[in-house]
């Protein structure tokens, strides 16, 4: 049996630093749980001068990450660089060299995961990625291991801490989106490119990974519908509150007969939905499955130590497998590779749900009936209407909640309403996710 497991860490950014810290500070407990020491042999980063509050001199430091993936003594390569460029090249090289790999790289997996998992399988290697979705929440393990006896029916998640922080700030302080984003940046929450967060791409990367695991399908990022939160206003959040809803950026996936829904967009959810009370940078996900009903995971979806915790969990899984000559024991995508299928994603135009519409309309007789008339012509029936304030000039916000409607009909109706003389500004549409919605 091996006397130790040798680790090569690529990238000493926030999460990489957390991984190194946890390996050092919790060494004793890790030895007790694994049976042999997890030895951090290398740390590779282009900047090894910056003070990270770590005692680094006991490790081999290098700015050449290829030295790490080419070292025959390294058992596990931990890729904490991120992005789709050099990180991908290094993972492929590590797999080719027979290394086990741990990554937190959601963008890379969402776009190139099918190929990377195939490469890992062909090389008999484990490629672990718990930290790619939901930080410390063990959602990958839950899907790959704990719930394997279930048919997954749906998943609904708050998977981006930056967006959840921004929406919480707008809700609590009534500030505009730009001001809330500035606070998120000042606190260091957003990705280097905050568009990834606020326009929903980061959430969609994570959803692409989860749909694959849940339904045994190839990762299909390109077909996920993605809409971010940058158009959400304090006014919409206030209206949502009047109807008993909070607005959250949700990742939603539902199993159909031969298709799955996979969409990312802001949604109104009732106050009594547990997700509605997940605030600030926290993440949560509800999984609904045939045997268990609903389960909820909740925790820090980002940050140094919570994310490092997920990475260390993966390292330990792999180390235990290596010690038992059992790597590859858990299929990388939950399903055995020859059972992973291509499953089409339902186009957004084909979904049906309930809708919140907000128009800015002239306050004069007949305007409401003109708008609801267009909606009616497209088969959309209105459940309630709320007009705020009275104005003899200019426009007032008019809000409508629909009965169940088809997205395609909604989009066609809004295209007609947008160009009406009585309406100023583009209409706002927010989907409502409420299992107890009264028709
Ligand atoms: N930018 C991401 C977030 C980091 O805000 O949740 C974690 O994936």
């Amino acid at each position: 049996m091996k006397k130790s497991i040798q680790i090569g860490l690529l990238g000493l950014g926030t999460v990489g630093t957390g991984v190194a810290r946890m390996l050092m500070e919790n060494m004793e407990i890790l030895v007790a749980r694994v049976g042999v020491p997890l030895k951090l042999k290398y740390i590779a980063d282009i900047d090894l001068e910056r003070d990270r509050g770590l005692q680094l001199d006991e490790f081999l430091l290098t700015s050449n990450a290829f030295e790490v993936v080419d070292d025959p003594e390294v058992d596990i390569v931990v890729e904490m660089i991120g992005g789709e460029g050099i990180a991908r090249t290094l993972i492929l090289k590590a797999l080719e060299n027979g290394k086990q790999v741990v990554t937190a790289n959601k963008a890379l997996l969402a776009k190139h995961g099918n190929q990377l998992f195939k490469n890992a399988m062909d090389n008999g290697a484990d490629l672990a990625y718990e930290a790619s979705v939901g930080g410390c929440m063990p959602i990958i393990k839950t899907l790959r291991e704990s719930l394997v006896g279930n048919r997954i029916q749906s998943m609904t998640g708050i998977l981006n801490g930056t967006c959840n922080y921004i929406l919480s700030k707008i809700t609590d302080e009534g500030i505009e989106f730009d001001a809330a984003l500035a606070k998120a940046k000042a606190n260091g929450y957003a990705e280097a490119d905050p568009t990834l967060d606020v326009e929903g791409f980061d959430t969609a990367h994570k959803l692409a990974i989860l749909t694959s695991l849940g339904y045994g399908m190839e990762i299909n990022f390109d077909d996920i519908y993605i809409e971010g939160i940058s158009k959400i206003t304090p006014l919409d959040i206030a209206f949502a509150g009047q109807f008993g809803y909070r607005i959250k950026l949700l990742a939603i996936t539902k199993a159909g007969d031969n298709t799955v829904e996979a969409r990312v967009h802001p949604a109104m959810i009732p106050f009594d939905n547990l997700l509605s009370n997940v605030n600030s940078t926290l993440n949560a996900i509800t999984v609904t499955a045939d045997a268990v009903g609903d389960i909820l995971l909740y925790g820090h979806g980002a940050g140094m130590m919570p994310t490092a915790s997920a990475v260390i969990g993966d390292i330990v899984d792999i180390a235990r497998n290596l010690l038992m000559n059992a790597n590859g024991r858990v299929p990388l995508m939950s399903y055995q590779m020859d059972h992973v299928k291509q499953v089409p994603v339902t186009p957004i135009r084909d979904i049906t749900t309930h809708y919140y519409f907000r128009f800015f309309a002239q306050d004069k007789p007949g305007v409401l009936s003109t708008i609801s008339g267009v909606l009616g012509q497209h088969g959309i029936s209105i459940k309630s209407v709320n007009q705020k304030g009275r104005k003899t000039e200019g426009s007032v916000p008019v809000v409508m909640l629909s009965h169940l409607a088809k997205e395609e009909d909604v989009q066609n109706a809004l295209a007609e309403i947008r160009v009406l003389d009585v309406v100023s500004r583009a209409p706002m549409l927010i989907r409502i996710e409420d299992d107890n919605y009264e028709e």
Side-chain angles (χ1 to χ4, degrees):
M1 190 154 108
K2 280 174 168 293
K3 298 254 177 335
S4 69
I5 298 291
Q6 306 280 319
I7 296 166
L9 174 61
L10 311 181
L12 200 55
T14 305
V15 181
T17 301
V19 170
R21 225 176 94 184
M22 199 174 255
L23 284 172
M24 286 189 262
E25 290 176 1
N26 293 356
M27 170 133 36
E28 228 173 281
I29 201 170
L30 286 167
V31 172
R33 286 170 174 165
V34 176
V36 301
L38 301 175
K39 296 199 71 154
L40 184 51
K41 178 171 182 185
Y42 284 100
I43 295 179
D45 197 280
I46 47 173
D47 173 9
L48 291 161
E49 298 303 316
R50 186 160 51 91
D51 181 18
R52 278 99 165 170
L54 289 175
Q55 188 73 30
L56 293 179
D57 46 12
E58 60 191 273
F59 309 112
L60 286 173
L61 303 177
T62 177
S63 55
N64 177 11
F66 286 94
E67 198 184 328
V68 181
V69 298
D70 285 336
D71 182 336
E73 282 190 0
V74 169
D75 298 300
I76 305 176
V77 169
V78 180
E79 183 276 304
M80 298 287 119
I81 298 170
E84 296 165 52
I86 189 70
R88 180 174 178 222
T89 310
L90 287 163
I91 289 177
L92 287 170
K93 188 74 183 150
L95 293 172
E96 193 186 304
N97 288 345
K99 314 279 179 221
Q100 317 299 310
V101 174
V102 177
T103 182
N105 197 330
K106 56 228 164 162
L108 181 65
L109 292 177
K111 296 196 189 149
H112 306 285
N114 296 319
Q115 188 58 45
L116 289 170
F117 289 130
K118 188 171 176 312
N119 277 47
M121 293 289 289
D122 290 348
N123 288 290
D126 273 329
L127 170 54
Y129 50 100
E130 183 65 68
S132 64
V133 183
C136 68
M137 298 191 304
I139 182 62
I140 306 290
K141 194 181 265 287
T142 298
L143 292 172
R144 278 206 315 186
E145 300 186 47
S146 315
L147 296 184
V148 284
N150 288 254
R151 279 174 204 282
I152 306 297
Q153 293 161 330
S154 65
M155 293 180 257
T156 306
I158 294 171
L159 299 177
N160 184 275
T162 305
C163 288
N164 207 38
Y165 172 87
I166 290 171
L167 292 173
S168 300
K169 280 280 161 203
I170 303 176
T171 306
D172 295 343
E173 299 175 15
I175 57 176
E176 295 288 340
F177 169 82
D178 286 341
L181 172 60
K183 285 187 188 234
K185 281 189 193 162
N187 281 301
Y189 297 143
E191 299 280 325
D193 173 6
T195 314
L196 284 175
D197 294 303
V198 299
E199 297 306 344
F201 298 107
D202 177 77
T203 302
H205 291 150
K206 295 164 181 169
L207 182 63
I209 295 168
L210 296 184
T211 48
S212 165
L213 284 169
Y215 309 123
M217 58 191 269
E218 285 188 358
I219 297 173
N220 183 352
F221 171 72
D222 291 337
D223 289 344
I224 291 180
Y225 175 77
I226 308 172
E227 187 184 308
I229 61 165
S230 57
K231 294 195 177 68
I232 298 291
T233 65
L235 180 66
D236 297 308
I237 287 186
F239 272 125
Q242 287 174 18
F243 293 113
Y245 294 124
R246 291 215 174 86
I247 299 179
K248 295 288 180 190
L249 181 70
L250 294 186
I252 298 170
T253 177
K254 299 179 186 179
D257 287 338
N258 296 304
T259 62
V260 299
E261 279 184 31
R263 46 191 165 102
V264 171
H265 53 73
M268 292 194 182
I269 50 176
F271 289 153
D272 62 2
N273 182 323
L274 290 173
L275 292 180
S276 157
N277 297 300
V278 174
N279 291 317
S280 191
T281 55
L282 282 149
N283 282 199
I285 182 163
T286 306
V287 181
T288 305
D290 59 352
V292 295
D294 287 345
I295 64 164
L296 177 81
L297 298 177
Y298 168 80
H300 291 283
M304 180 186 285
M305 298 318 287
T307 312
S309 162
V311 174
I312 298 290
D314 279 347
I315 292 173
V316 167
D317 271 352
I318 290 179
R320 286 170 167 162
N321 285 345
L322 282 174
L323 294 171
M324 302 301 283
N325 291 321
N327 54 304
R329 187 182 68 83
V330 181
L332 303 179
M333 301 171 81
S334 183
Y335 286 64
Q336 299 293 340
M337 273 295 183
D338 55 351
H339 287 264
V340 175
K341 300 185 290 282
Q342 285 185 339
V343 180
V345 173
T346 312
I348 190 74
R349 63 174 181 274
D350 290 340
I351 71 151
T352 53
T353 188
H354 302 100
Y355 293 85
Y356 158 99
F357 305 119
R358 191 248 304 140
F359 308 100
F360 273 95
Q362 287 174 13
D363 189 10
K364 63 182 191 187
V367 170
L368 284 185
S369 65
T370 306
I371 294 173
S372 55
V374 176
L375 290 167
Q377 281 158 23
H378 289 273
I380 300 152
S381 148
I382 296 303
K383 179 188 164 192
S384 62
V385 179
N386 183 333
Q387 179 183 318
K388 208 173 173 142
R390 285 230 62 188
K391 269 194 182 172
T392 45
E393 283 180 27
S395 49
V396 287
V398 175
V399 162
M400 297 181 180
L401 298 195
S402 81
H403 290 293
L404 204 58
K406 188 175 174 197
E407 176 93 12
E408 186 172 27
D409 297 332
V410 165
Q411 294 296 351
N412 288 339
L414 291 189
E416 277 183 38
I417 293 171
R418 192 171 288 130
V419 294
L420 291 176
D421 285 345
V422 293
V423 167
S424 61
R425 304 193 214 173
M428 181 70 174
L429 163 169
I430 301 176
R431 299 168 191 87
I432 301 170
E433 293 293 319
D434 178 359
D435 292 340
N436 299 313
Y437 196 89
E438 281 175 22
E439 282 294 337

